[in-house]
Amino acid sequence: DARVTQTPRDKVTEMGQEVTMRCQPILGHNTVFWYRQTMMQGLELLAYFRNRAPLDDSGMPKDRFSAEMPDATLATLKIQPSEPRDSAVYFCASGPQGGGGYTFGSGTRLTVV
Amino acid sequence: GQNIDQPTEMTATEGAIVQINCTYQTSGFNGLFWYQQHAGEAPTFLSYNVLDGLEEKGRFSSFLSRSKGYSYLLLKELQMKDSASYLCALDSGGYQKVTFGTGTKLQVIP
């Protein structure tokens, strides 16, 4: 089965440190989403890309978060500097052109202490 | 903007039928998704409705009424493994932006 691969699976870091999360979308998928999930807010859309171009990152705190797709096989989400309120599970999802079902990765559980 | 509402929690009995509702307010959308998410796991795709009406897929069916701003997910012959959160999401905009409701946590009891 084709999968979306996210690394790391878990990350514990100290406040102020830089965190980079990586996502390998399914080969051939041209749409990539980054979501953050917390108990209080549910799944929040942070950013998404179509054909590697950023389409909407309005859900992302611009002062500390950045999302990029350096190539079609890699999407990154970076937080610098990290804060305790960033603690959440970060999911990447990818999908084919034309929409339909999107496939989620297993997520990165981030804890900032 | 968009507003998606779902009940926070529901409980149902093994073997029974349960309907999980989703109401939304949006200026326009391409389609509506339902996803299942077990605790500690990633969401998995269940259904995508574009047209009004009921779409059946095994024990799960999804219904959409655009005029009423309403969708539901119907789960039949409930099994214990169906205990999970069920997320409604809208696919909107020319670039298919997908935004989720907060989900309904379903507990199936014996």
Side-chain angles (χ1 to χ4, degrees):
Chain A
D1 282 342
R3 293 194 292 178
V4 175
T5 304
Q6 286 187 249
T7 56
R9 187 66 189 267
D10 288 280
K11 176 73 176 178
V12 180
T13 190
E14 291 185 348
M15 183 174 62
Q17 296 298 305
E18 177 180 299
V19 175
T20 299
M21 290 168 271
R22 293 177 173 80
C23 168
Q24 181 177 354
I26 291 173
L27 190 65
H29 282 188
N30 70 334
T31 306
V32 176
F33 296 85
W34 281 106
Y35 289 92
R36 173 171 64 184
Q37 188 172 41
T38 61
M39 290 292 291
M40 296 301 295
Q41 300 294 329
L43 268 170
E44 300 174 274
L45 178 64
L46 296 175
Y48 77 116
F49 296 79
R50 169 72 54 80
N51 295 324
R52 296 175 55 201
L55 294 182
D56 188 333
D57 59 3
S58 59
M60 203 165 64
K62 300 286 193 309
D63 56 337
R64 299 184 299 108
F65 285 59
S66 61
E68 296 179 346
M69 276 200 78
D71 62 61
T73 65
L74 177 65
T76 63
L77 180 66
K78 189 176 295 186
I79 308 174
Q80 167 63 23
S82 58
E83 298 180 1
R85 59 179 168 154
D86 301 330
S87 298
V89 180
Y90 290 81
F91 286 106
C92 172
S94 73
Q97 186 158 355
Y102 293 95
T103 302
F104 280 74
S106 300
T108 294
R109 181 176 297 277
L110 174 66
T111 304
V112 183
V113 297
Chain B
Q2 296 177 336
N3 193 30
I4 302 170
D5 288 310
Q6 300 179 239
T8 304
E9 294 181 339
M10 297 181 72
T11 301
T13 306
E14 190 177 14
I17 299 173
V18 69
Q19 177 174 314
I20 301 174
N21 296 327
C22 170
T23 58
Y24 57 86
Q25 294 173 329
T26 181
S27 55
F29 67 104
N30 304 314
L32 187 144
F33 289 98
W34 282 96
Y35 276 79
Q36 179 191 59
Q37 186 177 24
H38 285 98
E41 298 183 10
T44 55
F45 171 77
L46 290 177
S47 65
Y48 181 61
N49 291 66
V50 175
L51 302 176
D52 282 3
L54 186 69
E55 292 203 7
E56 298 185 66
K57 199 184 286 187
R59 293 190 300 113
F60 292 10
S61 303
S62 55
F63 173 84
L64 176 65
S65 169
R66 286 177 176 265
S67 61
K68 295 182 180 177
Y70 167 65
S71 172
Y72 67 74
L73 182 69
L74 193 70
L75 290 74
K76 303 176 188 174
E77 301 169 14
L78 279 173
Q79 302 176 8
M80 298 301 290
K81 66 178 181 179
D82 297 331
S83 293
S85 289
Y86 291 86
L87 307 168
C88 169
L90 287 175
D91 168 3
S92 60
Y95 292 116
Q96 297 161 314
K97 178 176 179 177
V98 180
T99 52
F100 283 81
T102 51
T104 299
K105 186 175 181 179
L106 173 67
Q107 183 182 14
V108 180
I109 58 175

